[in-house]
């Protein structure tokens, strides 16, 4: 453990665990405030791509700061074995847990989530960053219930005509062009946000299957449906927005800025 980290923060209980690291609650005696500390085991990163992600995430988060709806990085500490990122603490349930608990959201509730999420995504895109893993688990809320987009481990530089490659993301939420092996743009984030909106309104994803392969096949087909039984109380305007965000034709898919204006 970094001596500087131990000097500045008191590490408390574990509050999360990922593929390469652990998240702890920590307390700053100077600020008299709790934060989250993401500690990543550098020795577990044998893949060069994983190492690149480790180096990129704090740079991306620092570039995007400050923004009211993007998780802020407070400090970075490094020792021989680990990288420690101290960030804002989001100690309320994330969107994944809220969807699981509620089943579905009323349109006004879904809008209150989608607006700040799209504001965060638009800010990323203006700064040449694609998140590439927009999903409910990465949409968090702080103690004041403010939405915070988190986990930039899969983020990539974009913009100025620069295309991206590589299959990243989560099966239900990944855009079809990511799976096709072609170059893609930051609009993959808009597709993923559209899927989140669909899940909030319907309680089920638009594309599904019994395995990741089946889900990918459904995503690639992109056959967007609005079953009457589920969508009978959803307005035509909301369905139209979904069609424009979850649109296979990338040239016709809305940008995050355009979606905010609807």
């Amino acid at each position: 453990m970094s001596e500087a980290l131990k000097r500045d923060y008191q590490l408390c209980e574990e509050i999360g665990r990922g593929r390469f690291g652990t998240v702890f609650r920590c307390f700053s005696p100077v600020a008299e405030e709790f934060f989250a500390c993401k500690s990543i085991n550098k020795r577990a990163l044998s893949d060069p791509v994983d190492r690149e992600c480790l180096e990129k995430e704090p740079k991306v988060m620092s570039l995007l700061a400050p923004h009211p709806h993007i998780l802020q990085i407070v400090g970075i500490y490094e020792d021989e074995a680990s990288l420690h990122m101290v960030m804002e603490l989001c100690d309320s349930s994330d969107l994944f847990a809220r969807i699981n608990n509620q089943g579905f959201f009323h349109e006004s509730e879904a809008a209150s989530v989608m607006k700040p999420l799209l504001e965060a995504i638009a800010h990323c895109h203006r700064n040449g960053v694609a998140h590439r893993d927009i999903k409910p688990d990465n949409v968090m809320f702080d103690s004041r219930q403010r939405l915070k987009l988190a986990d930039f481990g899969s983020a990539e530089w974009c913009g100025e005509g620069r295309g991206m490659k590589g299959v990243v993301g989560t099966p239900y939420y990944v855009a079809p062009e990511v799976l096709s092996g072609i170059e893609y743009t930051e609009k993959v984030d808009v597709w993923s946000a559209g899927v989140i909106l669909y899940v909030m309104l319907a309680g089920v994803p638009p594309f599904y299957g019994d395995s990741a392969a089946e889900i990918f096949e459904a995503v690639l087909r992109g056959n967007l449906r609005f079953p009457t039984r589920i969508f009978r109380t959803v307005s035509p305007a909301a369905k139209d927005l979904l069609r424009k965000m979850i649109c296979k034709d990338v040239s016709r898919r809305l940008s995050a800025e355009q979606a905010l204006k609807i």
Side-chain angles (χ1 to χ4, degrees):
M1 182 67 68
S2 162
E3 290 301 320
L5 177 64
K6 287 195 286 187
R7 183 188 65 234
D8 294 344
Y9 295 92
Q10 298 166 3
L11 250 61
C12 308
E13 76 277 15
E14 178 183 323
I15 56 174
R17 186 174 286 265
R19 194 157 55 113
F20 298 116
T22 308
V23 183
F24 299 93
R25 188 191 306 269
C26 62
F27 180 72
S28 166
V30 174
E32 296 185 336
E33 191 176 345
F34 283 97
F35 294 92
C37 177
K38 183 177 181 179
S39 296
I40 300 163
N41 180 1
K42 293 192 292 187
R43 291 167 181 161
L45 303 173
S46 55
D47 188 324
V49 175
D50 291 332
R51 283 191 172 276
E52 186 185 345
C53 290
L54 172 67
E55 293 168 5
K56 192 182 294 174
E57 185 175 15
K59 290 178 186 174
V60 165
M61 293 181 74
S62 297
L63 171 71
L64 296 173
H67 189 275
H69 299 301
I70 292 176
L71 192 69
Q72 300 297 295
I73 193 162
V74 178
I76 302 170
Y77 299 83
E78 192 166 3
D79 53 47
E80 192 176 322
S82 303
L83 176 75
H84 311 279
M85 290 189 289
V86 179
M87 299 172 286
E88 288 179 295
L89 177 65
C90 287
D91 51 2
S92 190
S93 56
D94 61 29
L95 184 58
F96 180 79
R98 294 184 182 199
I99 291 169
N100 272 354
N101 290 337
Q102 281 189 229
F104 69 94
F105 287 43
H106 294 293
E107 225 168 287
S108 59
E109 291 178 291
S112 71
V113 171
M114 193 52 46
K115 184 175 183 291
L117 176 57
L118 284 169
E119 286 174 357
I121 294 170
H123 180 73
C124 291
H125 295 175
R126 281 194 298 271
N127 284 277
V129 173
H131 186 284
R132 299 202 302 172
D133 196 17
I134 304 285
K135 59 181 178 180
D137 319 49
N138 291 336
V139 178
M140 308 183 81
F141 298 89
D142 66 13
S143 58
R144 297 181 187 175
Q145 302 306 312
R146 292 174 299 191
L147 182 147
K148 302 282 182 176
L149 178 59
D151 197 345
F152 286 81
S154 297
E156 185 56 276
W157 307 114
C158 65
E160 297 180 358
R162 184 190 301 174
M164 295 171 282
K165 275 196 167 188
V167 178
V168 294
T170 302
Y172 289 118
Y173 301 93
V174 69
E177 61 268 30
V178 174
L179 303 173
S180 298
I182 60 174
E183 278 200 349
Y184 52 84
T185 72
E186 70 278 2
K187 282 190 178 181
V188 297
D189 290 342
V190 177
W191 173 285
S192 302
V195 174
I196 288 178
L197 178 57
Y198 187 106
V199 171
M200 285 194 292
L201 293 173
V204 293
F207 314 110
Y208 48 87
D210 293 329
S211 65
E214 286 185 11
I215 297 166
F216 289 155
E217 285 174 16
V219 169
L220 285 165
R221 285 194 298 272
N223 187 9
L224 186 64
R225 294 176 178 171
F226 300 107
T228 306
R229 179 178 57 84
I230 297 174
F231 278 87
R232 64 182 179 275
T233 60
V234 176
S235 70
K239 286 186 273 194
D240 185 55
L241 176 59
L242 286 167
R243 287 189 194 97
K244 290 174 178 174
M245 293 177 74
I246 312 174
C247 177
K248 270 191 78 175
D249 184 345
V250 180
S251 67
R252 291 174 54 236
R253 188 184 307 160
L254 296 176
S255 67
E257 296 274 13
Q258 288 169 334
L260 275 167
K261 292 172 183 172
I262 291 179

